[in-house]
């Protein structure tokens, strides 16, 4: 019975340790899963930001290509503009010279009319052919003047058109350049912001991964500590089980010895038994402290004639007897030896006696009666949870005097005074 209870207690402690370790590991696993989810979310954000950066970089590259092409076109326009400026300058020079010539011709025409010139040319000619030649030459001069006037007008118009075209192209080039530069700046700003966001996300991910590594290290440390604790607990359980097995073997040997002793002839002990019975029922009252050596080799029923004596007769129980099958020297063995047949042989460990006695019809309460009650106490520090029983010898207000065996491991009868409040229950027998 003791071995069974010990095993249950040890297994319970192992289970408790295991449950505690499991709960701690589950908590860390939950935190690790949370970090994994956080890391995956950050990675998704990083991927989205990277895609946006790639798209913006493509746009910037396209704009840069357009800007380069426009720059080449602007360079070409600049060269054409410079050439136009040269042409315009030459045209303006030609126009100025023509203007001067035309002004001189106009003054000449005002002084000498064309008709006079024609007449003078005819009159002064030496012959008709000379006259015709002079008139033709004058007509050519007049035609040249007309042509010069037309060319003067055409050149002026060309200068104006070329100037307007040059201004328009330059203005368009300037607008395109400004628009491209603005777009490029906007895209560059977005690219810089996205790269900053990428850096922040990378830092956040690194922090989350660092926290995950810390949690994994914590989990590994917890698992290592749990494994060490489990190993230590297993060793303790094995050691306790070995001790329990030894105790069980000792009890088995004691019971075997008791059974062997019971089979021996009892003739030589009959006189001693009668003498012990007579001594226990005599009119003289023995001292409260029981003798430390057995009074007889056979069990003695020490039931007092008075149900509640203040100092009952006490005799040390015999070592082995079929009437007392409790392990020799134990507290149960001593109480059974004191009360004899009033206590059964199969009431179990001391801690089980109140329940067994109540089931058998005995009164179990909190009122001690000297000589007819059993005090049940428990102190796991030294009784390992099996409990302890003793005989109430005297009631002294708030304290009681008890008689017992197995006090500090000794099978000798022992008396002492304890607080009545320290008793779990009193069994009336």
């Amino acid at each position: 019975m003791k071995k069974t209870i010990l095993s249950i207690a040890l297994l319970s402690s192992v289970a408790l340790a295991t449950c505690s370790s499991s709960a701690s590991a589950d908590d860390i696993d939950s935190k690790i899963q949370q970090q994994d989810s956080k890391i995956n979310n950050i990675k998704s954000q990083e991927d989205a930001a990277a895609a946006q950066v790639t798209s913006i970089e493509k746009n910037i590259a396209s704009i840069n290509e357009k800007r380069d092409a426009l720059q080449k076109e602007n360079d070409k326009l600049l060269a054409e503009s410079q050439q136009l400026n040269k042409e315009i300058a030459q045209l303006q020079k030609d126009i100025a010279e023509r203007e001067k010539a035309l002004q001189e011709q106009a003054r000449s025409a005002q002084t000498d009319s064309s008709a006079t010139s024609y007449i003078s040319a005819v009159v002064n000619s030496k012959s008709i052919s000379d006259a015709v030649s002079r008139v033709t030459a004058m007509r050519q001069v007049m035609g040249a003047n007309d042509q010069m006037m037309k060319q003067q007008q055409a050149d002026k118009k060309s200068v104006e058109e070329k100037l307007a075209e040059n201004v328009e192209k330059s203005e368009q080039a300037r607008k395109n350049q400004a628009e491209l530069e603005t777009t490029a700046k906007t895209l560059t700003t977005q690219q810089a912001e996205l790269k900053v966001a990428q850096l922040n996300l990378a830092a956040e991910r690194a922090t989350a991964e660092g926290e995950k590594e810390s949690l994994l290290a914590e989990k590994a440390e917890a698992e290592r500590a749990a494994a060490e604790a489990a190993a230590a607990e297993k060793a303790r359980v094995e050691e306790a089980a070995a001790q329990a097995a030894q105790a069980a073997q000792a009890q088995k040997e004691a019971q075997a010895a008791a059974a062997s002793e019971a089979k021996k002839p009892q003739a030589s002990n009959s006189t001693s038994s009668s003498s012990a019975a007579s001594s226990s029922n005599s009119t003289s009252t023995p001292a409260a402290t029981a003798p430390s050596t057995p009074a007889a080799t056979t069990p003695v029923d020490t039931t007092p004639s008075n149900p509640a004596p203040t100092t009952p007769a006490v005799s040390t129980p015999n070592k082995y007897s079929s009437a007392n099958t409790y392990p020799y020297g134990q507290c149960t063995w001593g109480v059974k030896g004191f009360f004899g047949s009033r206590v059964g042989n199969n009431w179990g460990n001391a801690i089980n006696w109140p329940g067994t006695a109540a089931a058998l019809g005995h009164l179990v309460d909190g009122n001690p009666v000297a000589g007819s009650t059993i005090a049940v106490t428990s102190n796991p520090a030294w009784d390992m949870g099996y409990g302890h029983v003793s005989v109430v010898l005297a009631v002294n207000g708030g304290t009681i005097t008890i008689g017992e065996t197995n006090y500090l491991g000794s099978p000798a009868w022992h008396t002492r005074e304890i607080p009545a409040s320290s008793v779990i229950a009193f069994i009336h027998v």
Side-chain angles (χ1 to χ4, degrees):
M1 178 68 74
K2 292 181 180 179
K3 182 178 179 182
T4 302
I5 293 175
L6 177 61
S7 300
I8 291 172
L10 292 174
L11 287 173
S12 298
S13 65
V14 172
L16 265 168
T18 304
C19 288
S20 176
S21 301
S22 176
S24 176
D26 289 344
D27 184 55
I28 295 176
D29 285 338
S30 176
K31 290 181 180 178
I32 291 174
Q33 290 177 356
Q34 291 177 1
Q35 288 302 117
D36 283 336
S37 176
K38 183 177 181 181
I39 291 169
N40 291 333
N41 184 36
I42 292 172
K43 286 182 177 178
S44 298
Q45 294 181 34
E46 284 182 312
D47 292 340
Q52 292 182 21
V53 169
T54 302
S55 175
I56 288 176
E57 287 175 346
K58 289 181 179 179
N59 290 336
I60 290 174
S62 176
I63 287 175
N64 288 335
E65 290 178 359
K66 291 180 180 178
R67 184 172 57 186
D68 293 340
L70 183 60
Q71 185 63 46
K72 291 180 180 179
E73 184 178 352
N74 286 349
D75 292 341
K76 181 180 178 181
L77 285 173
L78 179 61
E80 292 176 355
S81 177
Q82 291 174 350
Q83 181 64 31
L84 282 172
N85 287 333
K86 290 180 181 180
E87 293 175 1
I88 289 170
Q90 184 62 41
L91 286 171
Q92 287 175 342
K93 182 179 178 182
D94 293 342
I95 289 171
E97 290 177 354
R98 289 193 196 99
E99 188 71 25
K100 183 178 179 182
L102 289 171
Q103 288 176 356
E104 288 178 355
Q105 288 179 2
R107 282 195 297 270
S108 175
Q110 291 175 356
T111 305
D112 299 319
S113 66
S114 298
T116 303
S117 298
Y118 277 112
I119 294 170
S120 296
V122 170
V123 172
N124 292 327
S125 63
K126 294 177 181 181
S127 62
I128 294 175
S129 60
D130 183 36
V132 171
S133 297
R134 287 189 178 188
V135 171
T136 301
M138 289 183 68
R139 285 180 177 177
Q140 289 177 346
V141 169
M142 291 299 293
N145 287 338
D146 291 338
Q147 184 66 30
M148 185 172 62
M149 287 295 294
K150 292 178 180 178
Q151 184 65 41
Q152 186 81 341
Q153 293 175 353
D155 287 348
K156 286 183 178 180
K157 184 176 180 182
S158 177
V159 166
E160 290 176 356
E161 289 175 351
K162 287 184 178 182
L163 284 173
E165 180 184 1
N166 194 20
V167 170
E168 182 180 357
K169 288 185 178 181
S170 298
E171 181 64 18
Q172 185 62 39
R174 186 191 65 78
K175 288 181 179 180
N176 291 341
Q177 185 71 21
E179 181 180 356
L180 286 171
E181 287 179 355
T182 301
T183 306
K185 287 180 180 179
T186 301
L187 290 173
T188 302
T189 301
Q190 291 179 358
Q191 183 185 35
E193 290 175 351
L194 283 171
K195 287 185 176 180
V196 170
Q198 280 183 306
L199 292 173
N200 290 335
L201 288 169
E204 188 176 353
R205 176 167 56 84
T207 301
E209 289 175 345
E211 292 176 356
K212 178 183 176 181
E213 291 298 324
S214 177
L215 287 171
L216 288 172
E218 182 181 351
K219 178 182 178 182
E221 178 61 22
E223 289 175 344
R224 183 193 62 78
E228 290 181 355
E233 186 65 20
K234 181 180 179 182
R236 188 175 71 83
V237 168
E238 290 175 350
E239 181 181 358
Q243 293 176 354
Q246 291 177 357
Q249 183 63 28
Q251 179 179 352
K252 184 177 180 181
E253 291 175 355
Q255 290 176 346
S260 178
E261 183 70 20
K263 292 178 180 179
K264 292 180 180 180
Q266 301 296 323
S268 61
N269 295 329
S270 59
T271 306
S272 299
S273 298
S274 301
S275 174
S278 175
S279 174
S280 63
N281 291 320
S282 63
T283 55
S284 61
T285 303
T289 302
S292 61
T293 58
T297 58
T298 57
V300 179
D301 187 351
T302 56
T303 303
S305 57
N306 186 348
T310 54
T311 54
V314 179
S315 63
T316 301
N318 296 318
K319 261 192 177 184
Y320 303 109
S321 172
S322 60
N324 187 349
T325 60
Y326 290 102
Y328 168 71
Q330 296 294 319
C331 62
T332 51
W333 173 80
V335 173
K336 168 63 175 174
F338 183 89
F339 285 113
S341 61
R342 292 155 68 182
V343 173
N345 272 320
N346 56 352
W347 284 13
N349 295 319
I351 199 69
N352 305 122
W353 277 32
T356 303
L360 294 173
H362 292 278
L363 175 64
V364 179
D365 59 15
N367 301 316
V369 178
S372 63
T373 53
I374 301 169
V376 183
T377 57
S378 178
N379 185 355
W382 62 274
D383 64 25
M384 297 181 67
Y386 299 135
H388 183 70
V389 289
S390 57
V391 179
V392 179
L393 300 177
V395 180
N396 313 309
T399 63
I400 57 174
T401 302
I402 60 172
E404 60 191 337
T405 53
N406 197 28
Y407 178 72
L408 300 180
S410 172
W413 188 262
H414 176 266
T415 59
R416 59 189 171 114
E417 190 171 302
I418 63 172
S421 59
S422 66
V423 179
I424 296 175
F426 292 100
I427 303 172
H428 296 260
V429 295

